[in-house]
Amino acid sequence: MSSIADFLNKNGKNWENSLIDFVKIPSISCQTEHMDDCLRAADWLQDYFRKIGFTPKLYPLSTGHPIVYAESPKIADAPTLLIYGHYDVQPVDPLNLWTECSPFEPVIKEGIMYGRGTSDDKGPLFSHIAAAEFWMLQGDLRPKLNVKFLLEGDEEGSNSATEIFVRENADLLACDYLALSDSTQFAPGFPSITSGLRGIAAYELILRGPIQDLHSGMFGGAITNPCNALVEILGKIHDENYRIAIPGFYDEITRLTQEDQEQLRILPFDENSFYDSVGVSCGLGEKDISVLEQISTRPTFDINGITGGYQGEGGKTIIPAWASAKFSFRLVPNQDPDELTVSLKRWLEEQLPPGITMELIIEGLSAGMLVDLSRPCMKAAAKSMEFGFGRSPVFVREGGSIPIVSTFSSALTPNVMMLAYTQKTDNAHGPNEHFSLSDFTRGIKSNVKLWQELAVL
Amino acid sequence: MSSIADFLNKNGKNWENSLIDFVKIPSISCQTEHMDDCLRAADWLQDYFRKIGFTPKLYPLSTGHPIVYAESPKIADAPTLLIYGHYDVQPVDPLNLWTECSPFEPVIKEGIMYGRGTSDDKGPLFSHIAAAEFWMLQGDLRPKLNVKFLLEGDEEGSNSATEIFVRENADLLACDYLALSDSTQFAPGFPSITSGLRGIAAYELILRGPIQDLHSGMFGGAITNPCNALVEILGKIHDENYRIAIPGFYDEITRLTQEDQEQLRILPFDENSFYDSVGVSCGLGEKDISVLEQISTRPTFDINGITGGYQGEGGKTIIPAWASAKFSFRLVPNQDPDELTVSLKRWLEEQLPPGITMELIIEGLSAGMLVDLSRPCMKAAAKSMEFGFGRSPVFVREGGSIPIVSTFSSALTPNVMMLAYTQKTDNAHGPNEHFSLSDFTRGIKSNVKLWQELAVL
């Protein structure tokens, strides 16, 4: 059997063509007119698994987008690796900004493949399938592993059905290790292993006052205005040091260790460029905490949307009947979103002025997570990426949230390896989404190496 | 010449029919498809004035809704009374709630005339024209007055063009007294003279942050969120005693005199019924100030509308690029809206967090006003309403604002008599708007008496 490098030289073009076929399927999960396309994408995966010698099976979900499950021929006494990915993609609007190609007619230009889903997540996902194909071709000589794939079609919509599936099928999905590639490299030239994610607690708060909008001349001064109440309450969530005033909010949070600080220090990050990139001259955060620490390792409170009263042209002097805000906290490891919900609700009720009633709707809760970098599999993952990328990876805590990873970690295994192959600049979710074929082949090589490492761990 | 009571018995029906004709014209000023109807209403008034011996003239305005001006035959050395009213009406939506009649097909049921504009302001306005007709019929025996009418067609829209017309035509409109009927009786059985109005200062504040909506996971914690900034700033406008924290806001305000307090005490007002009527159990206002005092004699800060970020179904975890609020202060006499604008702007700028820029748009400014009740004309007005209603009127400060009255007071005469003939329950601006024919005839009688009184003052 040749090395993966030789094999890529000879057969890499086939994998590129297969990925193009996969990207051509417009599997947009949140648009019902693409329901059949999502099924086609699931079928395409099933066929590919069958071709390389895996046993695939579709598990229908209530969303209409089935889980694609596949497993390799069983090997007794070998460890099990589960690989997660998603075959659904984001919508493509605005179409007029797709200047490199039509979203589902992928093209390759100067080593870059353009098309919706190339980087999120069809490309990275397929790098694991390619590794599986190469591995199977080695027959009995292949590293001794049991490999399972769990590929969902609801990641870009609400994937709570997938979370339930995972919890209810812990036996089917039982594994020693879990790998996924759905996060990004810190910067070009910095292959990355995502070592932590922030959790999220998202809510909508609705305040109600009078039964209808009132004339502010006839009633103003005596009737509590729900818009006023909303700003007066939410305005108190940040204290004067820009810390969150909900009692107990910081109780379980630990400051970064020396090692964590060290990891942050080696990352290339310029605060001024960061601000420039979004058109502001400066920002606002907790005192004495660097921007990079702030956006990846500290919790936040952000109002995502606010609405109430008259929002048309000109003015209308009313006391609105209601006002509402959608807001979310990004959480860091050890913060329990359920406990936060309880203390938030109690705190909000205490702030409520007379004449106003409140409703708090939970939009989503998921805990943050942190990978224990001392686990042997993390060293194996680092070694594999060093093989694939020619440079040892950095461990990076991401500020975003991948709720299902917490589920994996609690329901399946704590040995979660988030191998980041794409770039932040790949325009995931945006027009001209793309994926570098160099990152694609480096990913395949990393995966091949990882399987060797895990087999002998 | 018969008394007005006798004349009403014999000819009152004619005035009712004329009012019905007037109400039939759908003179909705804010809807361009009714532009011609507004002109028809102006023509109708012009014809009526000509018929009763006044000299009318239309003055075109940029809005397309002309000023109807009319004057009586000149009498040397007699005082001049100017009467203000408006011939335009509010839109009629929602039509399905008009259960008593179609808005522009007025009907009379049990002594009540239903139809758009019956109470606001065609009915009260016409009560003054009827008085003019009765007065002219007395020929040389009539009380010695010069009477002018200023009737506009933009009150329900923006009447800044009318305000400019008044300031630019102070000679034409020169007068010793000014009467209008566009406010409401305090309660049934409480004929009222409006003795004060609150002013208003209305603004829109727009806060801008990043150039586009940002992912709150990747940027949250370091980029200032315009929605957060908005609630944090506006949340500080009310202090812990629910007083307005803009520096100097209360400097020029005087507390009520003994006499003012006395006026408030005799008014029938039940706080619980007030709250019940709008579906709340209680309210919120400045400490130790009664509800009635609060809504008529104290300034306010009300957010009329607020908007920013994601307002659709579910959640979207973004840091919005901008947020805005429309808000207004009701002002009491002695507060200068221009001075407030300066101190508000300075105060807002001081509160602005790093990374946020602001724009403050002025939506409208008008000062509050207070009638000096010791003026002889006010005693004449009270005497006249006592004659018309059989009961002496109360003097009431209204919480709402009629910006043009401040213009009259400063540009023409301080002798402004706001004779309130309609009821708060007449559904002005709402469906089934109506006007009691009893209030109509009482108004006519009050007007007739007023002209006698003013001629000999």
Side-chain angles (χ1 to χ4, degrees):
Chain A
M1 183 70 202
S2 65
S3 73
I4 179 63
D6 292 341
F7 189 86
L8 275 164
N9 280 338
K10 284 185 210 136
N11 301 288
K13 199 76 202 156
N14 293 338
W15 280 335
E16 287 172 20
N17 289 334
S18 293
L19 178 55
I20 284 177
D21 287 344
F22 188 25
V23 171
K24 279 182 177 169
I25 307 171
S27 48
I28 304 173
S29 58
C30 72
Q31 298 180 337
T32 45
E33 68 263 39
H34 289 288
M35 187 76 95
D36 283 348
D37 295 317
C38 291
L39 285 173
R40 276 173 56 213
D43 282 338
W44 187 92
L45 287 167
Q46 199 172 216
D47 290 346
Y48 205 98
F49 281 122
R50 223 173 259 128
K51 188 185 91 177
I52 67 173
F54 271 56
T55 307
K57 184 171 175 187
L58 300 191
Y59 288 85
L61 288 190
S62 57
T63 59
H65 312 127
I67 295 278
V68 180
Y69 174 80
E71 58 184 25
S72 60
K74 285 228 164 49
I75 298 177
D77 303 324
T80 299
L81 168 66
L82 177 68
I83 292 157
Y84 165 82
H86 65 90
Y87 63 82
D88 63 326
V89 300
Q90 281 274 317
V92 294
D93 299 323
L95 257 180
N96 62 315
L97 296 184
W98 284 82
T99 51
E100 299 294 342
C101 71
S102 174
F104 298 110
E105 291 165 19
V107 297
I108 295 173
K109 294 183 187 174
E110 298 178 12
I112 311 272
M113 186 186 296
Y114 292 87
R116 170 58 85 227
T118 47
S119 72
D120 183 15
D121 178 45
K122 286 177 174 174
L125 178 165
F126 193 71
S127 77
H128 292 275
I129 297 179
E133 184 171 1
F134 178 75
W135 176 72
M136 287 297 287
L137 286 172
Q138 298 168 60
D140 290 345
L141 296 175
R142 69 179 183 272
K144 297 282 171 290
L145 276 183
N146 290 295
V147 177
K148 301 172 176 177
F149 278 83
L150 168 69
L151 308 178
E152 69 157 316
D154 286 307
E155 204 273 343
E156 302 294 1
S158 161
N159 62 356
S160 55
T162 307
E163 293 197 37
I164 294 166
F165 178 84
V166 170
R167 293 191 188 284
E168 289 181 350
N169 291 277
D171 285 347
L172 176 75
L173 303 173
C175 57
D176 302 290
Y177 308 106
L178 198 151
L180 65 146
S181 296
D182 198 20
S183 48
T184 58
Q185 299 186 48
F186 185 80
F190 285 81
S192 310
I193 295 179
T194 304
S195 59
L197 295 166
R198 290 199 282 196
I200 191 163
Y203 307 92
E204 180 172 4
L205 174 67
I206 306 172
L207 299 187
R208 295 189 176 90
I211 40 169
Q212 59 187 36
D213 293 352
L214 300 178
H215 190 293
S216 75
M218 287 167 68
F219 294 91
I223 297 294
T224 319
N225 178 322
C227 270
N228 286 32
L230 190 69
V231 304
E232 283 156 17
I233 293 172
L234 297 184
K236 280 187 281 196
I237 289 191
H238 275 139
D239 70 14
E240 61 279 10
N241 295 315
Y242 229 66
R243 283 167 63 89
I244 291 154
I246 311 299
F249 189 82
Y250 293 93
D251 284 0
E252 306 300 322
I253 303 178
T254 49
R255 284 303 303 266
L256 296 189
T257 61
Q258 282 293 109
E259 198 192 347
D260 291 333
Q261 299 272 13
E262 197 50 48
Q263 284 291 341
L264 283 178
R265 245 193 302 279
I266 59 172
L267 296 175
F269 187 83
D270 179 64
E271 299 197 351
N272 289 329
S273 313
F274 173 79
Y275 289 134
D276 279 353
S277 72
V278 298
V280 298
S281 59
C282 54
L284 183 64
E286 289 172 87
K287 255 177 136 171
D288 302 326
I289 293 188
S290 76
V291 168
L292 188 54
E293 191 175 344
Q294 198 75 259
I295 59 175
S296 58
T297 72
R298 299 294 297 171
T300 68
F301 162 63
D302 271 305
I303 299 175
N304 311 117
I306 192 163
T307 192
Y310 180 71
Q311 300 170 37
E313 211 182 325
K316 192 174 176 192
T317 48
I318 53 168
I319 298 174
W322 60 270
S324 110
K326 294 173 192 281
F327 55 88
S328 50
F329 300 89
R330 294 279 169 177
L331 305 177
V332 295
N334 292 333
Q335 288 188 293
D336 181 332
D338 293 313
E339 279 177 23
L340 171 60
T341 301
V342 172
S343 48
L344 172 69
K345 189 153 191 243
R346 189 185 306 127
W347 184 87
L348 289 171
E349 280 162 353
E350 286 165 9
Q351 314 304 316
L352 217 58
I356 297 286
T357 58
M358 66 170 253
E359 179 182 1
L360 184 68
I361 298 166
I362 299 172
E363 295 280 359
L365 299 176
S366 88
M369 68 94 65
L370 205 52
V371 176
D372 177 358
L373 298 182
S374 69
R375 292 181 176 275
C377 69
M378 297 312 289
K379 300 201 191 322
K383 203 168 160 188
S384 307
M385 281 188 79
E386 189 173 353
F387 172 81
F389 284 76
R391 183 164 176 176
S392 56
V394 290
F395 291 92
V396 179
R397 287 172 67 166
E398 277 206 0
S401 311
I402 312 179
I404 200 148
V405 172
S406 298
T407 307
F408 291 149
S409 187
S410 63
L412 301 179
T413 174
N415 291 319
V416 175
M417 296 167 284
M418 291 181 268
L419 313 169
Y421 297 154
T422 59
Q423 305 290 345
K424 289 193 201 310
T425 50
D426 281 350
N427 277 16
H429 295 206
N432 298 321
E433 177 178 348
H434 57 273
F435 187 34
S436 146
L437 294 179
S438 309
D439 282 331
F440 181 49
T441 52
R442 288 168 183 150
I444 294 171
K445 282 155 101 174
S446 301
N447 296 335
V448 166
K449 178 73 172 164
L450 178 66
W451 299 20
Q452 293 171 2
E453 294 293 322
L454 293 179
V456 297
L457 209 63
Chain B
M1 184 72 201
S2 63
S3 74
I4 180 63
D6 291 342
F7 189 87
L8 274 163
N9 279 338
K10 285 186 208 134
N11 300 288
K13 199 74 202 157
N14 292 339
W15 280 334
E16 288 172 22
N17 289 335
S18 292
L19 178 55
I20 284 177
D21 288 344
F22 189 25
V23 171
K24 278 182 177 169
I25 306 170
S27 47
I28 304 173
S29 57
C30 73
Q31 297 179 339
T32 45
E33 68 263 38
H34 288 289
M35 186 77 94
D36 283 347
D37 295 318
C38 292
L39 285 173
R40 276 173 56 213
D43 283 337
W44 187 92
L45 287 166
Q46 197 173 216
D47 290 346
Y48 206 97
F49 279 122
R50 223 172 259 130
K51 187 186 92 177
I52 67 173
F54 271 55
T55 307
K57 184 171 175 186
L58 300 192
Y59 287 85
L61 288 190
S62 57
T63 60
H65 312 128
I67 296 280
V68 180
Y69 174 79
E71 58 184 25
S72 61
K74 286 224 165 50
I75 299 178
D77 301 324
T80 300
L81 168 66
L82 176 68
I83 292 158
Y84 165 82
H86 64 90
Y87 63 83
D88 63 325
V89 300
Q90 280 274 320
V92 295
D93 300 322
L95 258 178
N96 61 317
L97 296 182
W98 284 82
T99 51
E100 298 295 341
C101 71
S102 175
F104 298 109
E105 291 165 17
V107 298
I108 296 172
K109 293 184 187 174
E110 298 178 10
I112 311 272
M113 186 186 296
Y114 292 87
R116 171 57 85 226
T118 47
S119 71
D120 183 15
D121 179 45
K122 286 179 174 172
L125 179 167
F126 193 71
S127 76
H128 292 276
I129 297 179
E133 184 171 2
F134 178 75
W135 177 71
M136 287 297 286
L137 286 172
Q138 297 168 60
D140 291 344
L141 295 176
R142 68 181 183 272
K144 298 281 170 292
L145 275 183
N146 291 295
V147 177
K148 302 172 176 177
F149 277 83
L150 167 70
L151 308 178
E152 68 158 317
D154 286 307
E155 204 274 343
E156 302 295 0
S158 161
N159 61 356
S160 55
T162 307
E163 294 197 37
I164 293 167
F165 178 84
V166 170
R167 293 192 188 282
E168 290 182 348
N169 292 277
D171 286 345
L172 177 75
L173 303 172
C175 58
D176 301 291
Y177 308 106
L178 198 151
L180 65 148
S181 296
D182 197 21
S183 48
T184 58
Q185 299 185 48
F186 185 79
F190 285 81
S192 310
I193 295 178
T194 304
S195 59
L197 295 166
R198 291 199 281 196
I200 192 164
Y203 307 92
E204 179 170 5
L205 174 67
I206 305 172
L207 299 186
R208 295 188 176 90
I211 40 168
Q212 59 187 33
D213 293 353
L214 300 179
H215 189 294
S216 75
M218 287 167 69
F219 294 91
I223 297 294
T224 319
N225 178 323
C227 270
N228 286 31
L230 190 69
V231 304
E232 284 156 17
I233 293 172
L234 297 184
K236 280 187 281 194
I237 289 191
H238 275 138
D239 70 15
E240 62 278 9
N241 295 317
Y242 229 66
R243 284 167 63 90
I244 291 154
I246 311 299
F249 189 83
Y250 293 93
D251 284 0
E252 306 300 323
I253 304 178
T254 49
R255 284 303 303 266
L256 296 189
T257 62
Q258 281 292 108
E259 197 191 347
D260 292 333
Q261 299 272 13
E262 196 50 49
Q263 283 291 342
L264 283 178
R265 244 192 303 279
I266 60 173
L267 297 175
F269 187 83
D270 179 62
E271 298 197 353
N272 290 329
S273 312
F274 173 80
Y275 289 134
D276 278 354
S277 72
V278 298
V280 298
S281 59
C282 53
L284 183 63
E286 287 172 88
K287 256 178 138 171
D288 302 327
I289 294 189
S290 76
V291 169
L292 188 52
E293 192 175 343
Q294 198 75 258
I295 59 175
S296 58
T297 73
R298 298 296 296 171
T300 68
F301 162 64
D302 271 305
I303 298 174
N304 310 118
I306 192 164
T307 190
Y310 181 70
Q311 300 171 37
E313 210 181 325
K316 191 174 176 192
T317 48
I318 53 167
I319 298 173
W322 60 270
S324 108
K326 293 172 194 281
F327 55 87
S328 50
F329 300 89
R330 295 279 170 178
L331 305 177
V332 295
N334 292 332
Q335 288 188 293
D336 180 332
D338 294 312
E339 278 177 24
L340 171 60
T341 301
V342 172
S343 48
L344 172 70
K345 189 150 192 249
R346 189 185 308 128
W347 184 87
L348 289 171
E349 280 163 354
E350 284 166 10
Q351 314 304 315
L352 215 59
I356 297 285
T357 57
M358 67 170 252
E359 179 181 1
L360 184 67
I361 298 166
I362 299 172
E363 294 281 0
L365 300 176
S366 87
M369 66 96 64
L370 206 52
V371 175
D372 176 359
L373 298 182
S374 69
R375 291 181 177 274
C377 70
M378 298 311 290
K379 301 202 191 320
K383 203 168 161 189
S384 307
M385 281 188 79
E386 188 172 353
F387 172 81
F389 284 78
R391 183 166 177 176
S392 57
V394 289
F395 291 92
V396 180
R397 286 173 66 166
E398 277 206 0
S401 312
I402 312 180
I404 200 146
V405 173
S406 299
T407 307
F408 291 151
S409 187
S410 63
L412 301 179
T413 173
N415 292 319
V416 175
M417 297 167 283
M418 290 181 269
L419 313 169
Y421 297 154
T422 60
Q423 304 290 346
K424 289 192 201 310
T425 51
D426 281 350
N427 277 18
H429 295 206
N432 299 320
E433 177 178 348
H434 57 274
F435 187 34
S436 148
L437 294 180
S438 310
D439 282 331
F440 181 49
T441 52
R442 288 169 183 149
I444 294 171
K445 282 155 102 172
S446 302
N447 296 336
V448 166
K449 178 73 172 163
L450 178 66
W451 298 20
Q452 292 172 3
E453 294 292 324
L454 293 179
V456 298
L457 209 62

